[in-house]
Amino acid sequence: MPLSHTPTAQVSAAATAARAPRHWLRAGWLMTASGWSANQYSSLLGAYRAHLGLTAATTTALFAVYVVGLIPGLLVGGPLADRHGRRRVAFTALGISALATCLLMAGPAAPALLWPGRFLTGVGAGTLLTAGSVWIKELSTPPYGTAPSPGAAARRSGLFLSAGFATGGLAASLIAQWAPHPMVLAYVPHLVLVAAAALSAGRAPETAPPRTPDTAAPEPAAPAYRTPFRRLVVPVAPWVFAAPAIAFAVLPGLVDTRLHGWQTVYAGIITAVTPGAGLLVAPLARRLSARHRLATAATGLLVTAVGLLIGALAVAHAQPAVALLAAALLGAGYGLCVAYGLTEVAALAPPHHLARLTARFWAVCYLGFCTPYAVTVLGGAFAPSTIFIGVAVMALLTLAALLRPGARSSA
């Protein structure tokens, strides 16, 4: 009888399979901490204006500073994770994220600290997104895990990220609504989560492939993945965060005029509903991906367009309940688009370039966070509902571009 069929070998293989999934679960909390840090400020925009007297322009600028720190964090984090390992870079980013939260907690006493706090929040989140996404993907596949496919493994980091997005904003808004010292205590849960994530991920192994002269060499001038990445991933990526950014940074302020005294809680509910819907569509994303390579992206863009049209209706009639439905659809579009993007990146990149291509994907995704500012600028010339309809048309045009024969030939 072959050795692999002996009872001892079977028990050993079963034990390994039982232990392996715990590695990606341990590291997954890092992504939850990243999502939490990104969204805890979003639901506090109104509270900052009410408690610290900050103007709308200042709170919006602080929102933008996050993106300014995020992009270099993404672009630098990928090559660093490929060069120095996923684990080391992820833990460094987690420390930066904790420092940023401490600076934000000091904001009520020294408002100038809000600026470096928001900037470092972006740096930490961007770097953690890159290193953490790749680490979880690699911990999910052999020899560390038993995910059924690389795509399924890649989507796991998006689920943990969505969980952080959903809970961070809601928790911060509830604390800001009812707790004393809201601009300080609202950030305490993130520090607790950071500590828990560090303890959990501390037992997860390093997964970066050993660097050899071949992998250490400069990237070829035209790697094989560049064209399909440009045609199939880049058009969809901005919609990953354009949809939720509109949901929790634009919609609440346009429909909450009747919610006297409850605006902060409503904003927190929006920030929970949006990524929460992204979590719920994960099974649908798996089924669509199994049917056709582009099905998940196509469905995500279509759902996003429908969400924007319902959002236009909610804004035109100032209906908070309808806006919640729109936010749920926008969140579902986010969940489908991010699942598609992470799956494609995992399929396209060789192991020694996975972190840097993941970084490029997230960098393009976060361009979508500029959408609220575009909506604000255009608001001086057009009605908000008209702007929402225009953005919906752009989503449909992106869908048409993705499905054109020239793009499909890359699939």
Side-chain angles (χ1 to χ4, degrees):
M1 179 180 293
L3 180 62
S4 60
H5 289 174
T6 64
T8 302
Q10 290 175 341
V11 171
S12 177
T16 300
R19 287 195 304 267
R22 283 185 268 179
H23 291 313
W24 66 267
L25 283 170
R26 290 166 182 159
W29 295 105
L30 297 173
M31 296 297 289
T32 302
S34 177
W36 189 296
S37 72
N39 222 18
Q40 60 185 345
Y41 175 84
S42 301
S43 61
L44 299 177
L45 294 174
Y48 270 108
R49 291 192 290 268
H51 291 273
L52 297 186
L54 300 182
T55 65
T58 299
T59 55
T60 302
L62 284 166
F63 193 90
V65 168
Y66 166 78
V67 181
V68 173
L70 183 96
I71 299 299
L74 287 169
L75 297 179
V76 173
L80 287 177
D82 281 336
R83 186 176 301 115
H84 300 292
R86 320 325 189 184
R87 179 187 174 93
R88 184 187 303 180
V89 175
F91 273 92
T92 301
L94 189 67
I96 293 173
S97 182
L99 172 61
T101 292
C102 290
L103 291 175
L104 292 173
M105 293 175 70
L113 293 178
L114 293 174
W115 297 95
R118 286 293 292 163
F119 177 80
L120 290 177
T121 298
V123 173
T127 308
L128 196 53
L129 273 174
T130 301
S133 295
V134 176
W135 199 17
I136 294 168
K137 184 265 179 186
E138 292 172 342
L139 287 171
S140 298
T141 53
Y144 305 101
T146 57
S149 68
R155 288 190 290 269
R156 287 174 174 174
S157 61
L159 296 177
F160 277 103
L161 180 69
S162 297
F165 279 142
T167 51
L170 179 61
S173 69
L174 294 177
I175 292 172
Q177 181 73 29
W178 286 298
H181 312 294
M183 298 298 95
V184 175
L185 295 182
Y187 293 107
V188 170
H190 179 246
L191 294 180
V192 175
L193 179 58
V194 164
L199 290 173
S200 176
R203 294 182 291 168
E206 177 59 70
T207 60
R211 291 185 62 80
T212 66
D214 290 336
T215 60
E219 184 175 324
Y225 59 73
R226 179 170 294 176
T227 297
F229 179 78
R230 186 178 68 249
R231 291 182 178 179
L232 301 178
V233 178
V234 170
V236 179
W239 293 102
V240 168
F241 287 134
I246 289 173
F248 55 67
V250 177
L251 264 179
L254 296 176
V255 300
D256 65 359
T257 53
R258 303 175 185 175
L259 303 175
H260 304 291
W262 293 90
Q263 287 90 341
T264 299
V265 171
Y266 180 75
I269 293 173
I270 286 276
T271 60
V273 166
T274 305
L279 281 169
L280 293 177
V281 298
L284 175 62
R286 289 195 298 271
R287 290 195 294 269
L288 290 171
S289 180
R291 289 187 177 185
H292 191 277
R293 185 174 182 177
L294 301 180
T296 309
T299 306
L301 290 169
L302 184 60
V303 170
T304 296
V306 174
L308 288 164
L309 292 175
I310 294 178
L313 179 65
V315 168
H317 299 282
Q319 291 293 329
V322 179
L324 280 175
L325 173 60
L329 289 171
L330 291 171
Y334 147 79
L336 292 169
C337 288
V338 74
Y340 165 79
L342 289 171
T343 301
E344 280 297 307
V345 168
L348 290 172
H352 54 284
H353 286 165
L354 179 58
R356 70 187 67 184
L357 193 63
T358 302
R360 292 173 189 173
F361 166 68
W362 285 120
V364 180
C365 288
Y366 267 95
L367 293 177
F369 261 105
C370 298
T371 308
Y373 311 110
V375 172
T376 301
V377 172
L378 292 173
F382 302 97
S385 58
T386 302
I387 298 172
F388 272 63
I389 293 172
V391 180
V393 171
M394 292 177 63
L396 294 175
L397 290 175
T398 304
L399 173 59
L402 183 70
L403 297 180
R404 74 187 192 278
R408 290 201 307 271
S409 64
S410 298

